[in-house]
Amino acid sequence: MFNWFWIACWTLIWLPLSIAFLRGWAPAWIRGRSSRRSIQARGVAGLLLFTSALIPAVLGLGGVSHDDFLLLRLAGGPILILCALALLIGSAVANRRDR
C-alpha cells in the first residue's frame, strides 16, 4: 500500500512541476533570478529525482528481492540524486557567472 501511495504522491506533485520547469515555465520570482536554461536544468534535475524516487517503489511492487537488483537500486537511488545535485549546482554557478 505504501508503494502505491509513494508513486501517486510523486507523480501528482513532483512530475508536473518538473515538466513545467523543463518546458521553461516558472513562477515570476524564479524567472526574475534565473535564465531559461537554468530553469530547464531544474526540470531535468526534478525528473532525475522523480526517477530515483520511483525505482524502489516499482521494484517493491514487482516483488523483486533486495539482492536481485542491488546494482539498479544503487544506480537508481544515490547516483541519480548526486547527478541531479551536480546539475543544480552547475546550473546555479553558470547562472551566477552570466549575471
Side-chain angles (χ1 to χ4, degrees):
M1 184 69 180
F2 174 77
N3 289 333
W4 286 109
F5 179 73
W6 185 258
I7 291 171
C9 285
W10 274 88
T11 302
L12 292 175
I13 297 170
W14 201 259
L15 185 61
L17 182 64
S18 298
I19 290 174
F21 277 3
L22 187 62
R23 294 192 52 151
W25 180 89
W29 60 274
I30 292 178
R31 276 186 306 223
R33 297 183 303 161
S34 301
S35 66
R36 182 172 173 85
R37 288 191 183 200
S38 177
I39 293 170
Q40 289 175 340
R42 290 178 187 180
V44 172
L47 290 176
L48 287 173
L49 288 175
F50 174 74
T51 304
S52 70
L54 289 189
I55 286 176
V58 170
L59 290 177
L61 285 174
V64 176
S65 69
H66 292 286
D67 295 335
D68 289 343
F69 287 101
L70 182 63
L71 183 63
L72 180 61
R73 285 181 188 265
L74 289 176
I79 292 175
L80 282 177
I81 291 172
L82 288 175
C83 288
L85 185 63
L87 184 63
L88 286 175
I89 291 171
S91 169
V93 168
N95 191 33
R96 196 170 287 208
R97 185 179 51 202
D98 289 342
R99 290 183 134 197

